Amino acid sequence: MLVVRAGRGMLKQLEADRMAGRNGATRIAVIPDAGHDVHLDDPAAVYGEMAAFLAEATAAEATAAAESEAAAESEAAAKEARAGA
């Protein structure tokens, strides 16, 4: 989960921390010079935070999928070895 907080906005750091505490895989991004309408005040910064978050999430998902596939292949090889023994 990505929480985007404006440095001059209404969402305070404590509340952002509470939101993040509900999900262990949360990233909090603060756009320092933005107000409440952070997406209007600094769209490039919001886009940058979203792009970085999605890149990290995609990489983590790809790593997990590769690890799962490797474990399945290893299990299949072990099962085949047991069957042949």
Side-chain angles (χ1 to χ4, degrees), residues 45-73:
V46 173
Y47 174 81
E49 292 294 343
M50 291 173 65
F53 173 77
L54 291 172
E56 290 171 13
T58 301
E61 187 175 311
T63 299
E67 290 172 353
S68 178
E69 185 176 329
E73 289 173 359

Side-chain angles (χ1 to χ4, degrees), residues 5-12 29-36 38:
R5 187 177 84 72
R8 297 182 293 111
M10 296 170 55
L11 179 64
K12 301 301 177 202
V30 179
I31 311 299
D33 294 328
H36 177 70
V38 63

Side-chain angles (χ1 to χ4, degrees), residues 1-22:
M1 178 169 63
L2 173 64
V3 176
V4 179
R5 187 177 84 72
R8 297 182 293 111
M10 296 170 55
L11 179 64
K12 301 301 177 202
Q13 187 63 47
L14 181 62
E15 185 60 26
D17 291 341
R18 278 191 211 132
M19 293 169 74
R22 294 180 181 151

